[in-house]
């Protein structure tokens, strides 16, 4: 049997593009003209910001902005000779400084700075930095910040006033970050929530996965043949996956995602929902929401804000995990992205339980039923 002609091929490095001599024999086909060109291309891809990197940068900016406002308020109280009110803010400033320190350490790691250099800036031994500010520790601080800040949103303006009676404990299941929803302008009718609109028919999970993989393929500009080489399956099978005729295994879905420059953490919740599988503990609500955002071709948050009652800032916080949304907000965002919200329910329950913990300031978590 005569082997098929593999056809012309070119180096995947866009700055090179030189033709590659491919043989029709066995073995994986070459992707780069030489090893050095491949290393240069892979390093360039590693420098592009990942969703986690963008979330870390947004977290650092948010904490720095909060600190700026707190310090300005402390300056006002100091000039007004209100030492007790200013002292009340000291603990808040210290907590925000710890958050900012964690955010900056993670930023340095995202930039591939050496752990020893980061520790030297803080005056800590490298092993102590690893224990105190591991990647998991930074992620926990990011996840817990919404609950810690919600109870003091109005603190800078109320510090000089007598303390008000403590409100009754509130259930995490009903929690809402202030400013999450848009206030209708004067004369504007409030749009009905898409989360409860009976006329809306969200796309089923298998179709959402297909949309996400198709958008990744279009964004990457890779051909079916190139994706077939990356995933070691036939180009016709890749075509059937992208058209929704076939549902791939997670191995193939992951390889397709990586080949297109996507984040497997965003696609895995979509794949699990398409297979009617319960989400794993490794999956998170923000990653699943980013997956739905990907499947909808990543519309701008301002556009989503116009189509929902949520603010663009709240939507950004939900996508990057900097805010714990109420379930109705998760529903509304999912439906605005033309997807079912129910597969997200276990992830939302897990987020509530993780943020509440044994020392939650908002009271015990109530049981959430479907």
């Amino acid at each position: 049997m005569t082997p098929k002609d593999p056809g012309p091929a070119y180096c995947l490095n866009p700055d090179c593009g030189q033709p590659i001599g491919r043989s029709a024999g066995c073995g994986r086909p070459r992707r780069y003209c030489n090893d050095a060109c491949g290393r240069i291309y892979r390093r360039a891809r590693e420098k592009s910001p990942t969703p986690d990197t963008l979330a870390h940068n947004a977290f650092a900016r948010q904490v720095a902005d909060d600190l700026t406002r707190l310090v300005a308020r402390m300056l006002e109280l100091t000039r007004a000779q209100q030492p007790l009110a200013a002292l009340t803010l000291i603990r808040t400033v210290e907590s925000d400084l710890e958050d900012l320190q964690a955010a900056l350490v993670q930023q340095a790691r995202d930039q591939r700075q050496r752990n020893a250099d980061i520790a030297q800036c803080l005056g800590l031994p490298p092993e102590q930095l690893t224990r105190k500010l591991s990647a998991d520790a930074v992620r926990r601080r990011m996840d817990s910040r919404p609950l810690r800040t919600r109870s003091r949103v109005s603190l800078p303006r109320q510090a000089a006033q007598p303390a008000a009676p403590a409100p009754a404990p509130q259930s995490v299941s009903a929690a809402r970050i202030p400013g999450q929803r848009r206030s209708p302008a004067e004369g504007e009718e409030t749009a009905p929530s898409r989360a409860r609109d009976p006329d809306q028919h969200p796309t089923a999970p298998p179709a959402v996965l297909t949309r996400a993989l198709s958008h990744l393929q279009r964004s990457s500009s890779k051909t079916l043949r190139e994706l077939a080489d990356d995933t070691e399956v036939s180009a016709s099978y890749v075509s059937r996956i992208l058209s929704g005729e076939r549902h791939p295994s997670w191995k193939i879905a992951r390889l397709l995602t990586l080949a297109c420059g996507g984040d497997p953490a965003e696609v895995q919740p979509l794949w699990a929902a398409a297979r009617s599988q319960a989400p794993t503990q490794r999956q998170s609500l923000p990653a699943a929401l980013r997956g739905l955002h990907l499947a909808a071709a990543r519309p701008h948050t301002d556009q989503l804000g116009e189509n929902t009652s949520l603010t663009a800032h709240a939507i950004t916080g939900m996508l990057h995990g900097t805010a714990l949304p109420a379930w109705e907000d998760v529903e509304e965002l999912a439906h605005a992205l033309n997807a079912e919200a129910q597969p997200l329910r276990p992830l939302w329950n897990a987020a509530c339980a993780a943020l509440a913990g044994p020392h939650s300031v908002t009271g015990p978590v109530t049981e959430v039923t479907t």
Side-chain angles (χ1 to χ4, degrees):
M1 181 175 180
T2 304
K4 294 182 179 179
D5 181 8
Y10 300 91
C11 180
L12 287 183
N13 187 346
D15 295 330
C16 175
Q18 296 295 324
I20 302 174
R22 284 185 175 177
S23 64
C26 61
R28 190 165 186 174
R30 295 174 57 188
R31 303 178 185 177
Y32 310 100
C33 58
N34 54 59
D35 293 340
C37 197
R39 286 195 295 269
I40 292 173
Y41 175 65
R42 286 190 291 270
R43 289 196 193 102
R45 286 190 61 181
E46 289 176 356
K47 291 181 180 179
S48 59
T50 65
D52 285 340
T53 299
L54 295 175
H56 299 153
N57 295 340
F59 179 63
R61 290 193 298 269
Q62 175 195 356
V63 178
D65 290 343
D66 290 346
L67 267 171
T68 301
R69 290 190 289 269
L70 283 172
V71 172
R73 179 58 179 162
M74 288 188 65
L75 179 60
E76 294 176 4
L77 295 174
T78 302
R79 288 175 175 172
Q81 298 181 7
Q82 298 182 25
L84 295 181
L87 287 172
T88 303
L89 293 182
I90 289 291
R91 294 178 61 185
T92 304
V93 172
E94 290 175 345
S95 176
D96 281 2
L97 282 173
E98 291 177 357
D99 282 348
L100 183 59
Q101 176 180 267
L104 295 177
V105 167
Q106 193 59 50
Q107 271 191 330
R109 288 172 177 156
D110 292 339
Q111 297 174 6
R112 304 302 176 93
Q113 301 291 339
R114 295 194 314 142
N115 195 58
D117 294 338
I118 302 174
Q120 183 178 5
C121 293
L122 296 174
L124 298 174
E127 58 274 10
Q128 184 176 349
L129 174 67
T130 303
R131 291 194 305 268
K132 181 180 178 182
L133 289 173
S134 64
D136 288 339
V138 174
R139 189 178 302 109
R140 286 194 295 271
R141 292 201 71 88
M142 292 176 61
D143 291 341
S144 63
R145 181 173 174 82
L147 285 181
R148 287 186 282 114
T149 59
R150 190 181 65 207
S151 60
R152 56 178 174 88
V153 169
S154 302
L155 184 57
R157 296 185 177 275
Q158 295 179 352
Q161 301 175 2
Q170 184 182 12
S171 163
V172 173
S173 62
R176 184 186 302 286
I177 309 300
Q180 269 191 307
R181 290 186 172 267
R182 293 186 296 109
S183 299
E186 186 176 355
E188 178 186 357
E189 295 184 1
T190 304
S193 171
R194 294 194 63 179
R196 293 173 174 79
D197 190 345
D199 295 332
Q200 296 295 333
H201 300 285
T203 303
V208 174
L209 173 64
T210 299
R211 287 195 337 229
L213 295 176
S214 299
H215 178 69
L216 282 175
Q217 186 267 334
R218 292 191 300 271
S219 301
S220 69
S221 300
K222 280 197 171 185
T223 65
L224 296 180
R225 181 182 292 274
E226 290 172 334
L227 292 179
D229 292 340
D230 292 334
T231 56
E232 299 181 340
V233 298
S234 66
S236 61
Y237 186 65
V238 174
S239 175
R240 288 195 291 270
I241 292 174
L242 298 180
S243 65
E245 297 177 22
R246 292 288 185 272
H247 302 306
S249 65
W250 171 238
K251 177 183 177 181
I252 299 300
R254 181 177 180 275
L255 289 175
L256 274 175
T257 302
L258 292 173
C260 296
D263 183 1
E266 298 176 355
V267 177
Q268 188 176 22
L270 307 184
W271 179 87
R275 292 294 185 97
S276 299
Q277 295 183 4
T280 66
Q281 294 182 352
R282 295 189 303 273
Q283 298 169 4
S284 66
L285 177 63
L289 288 172
R290 290 197 303 271
L292 298 184
H293 189 238
L294 165 67
R298 292 196 172 110
H300 198 277
T301 53
D302 290 338
Q303 177 185 350
L304 290 173
E306 293 175 358
N307 295 331
T308 65
S309 57
L310 300 169
T311 65
H313 178 74
I315 294 171
T316 300
M318 293 168 68
L319 294 176
H320 296 309
T322 57
L324 173 64
W327 171 246
E328 63 182 17
D329 296 339
V330 176
E331 277 189 306
E332 186 164 6
L333 179 57
H335 288 196
L337 295 171
N338 197 26
E340 294 180 358
Q342 198 57 34
L344 303 175
R345 194 61 179 256
L347 297 175
W348 183 81
N349 290 345
C352 289
L355 289 180
H359 303 294
S360 172
V361 298
T362 58
V365 183
T366 59
E367 182 179 359
V368 180
T369 57
T370 304

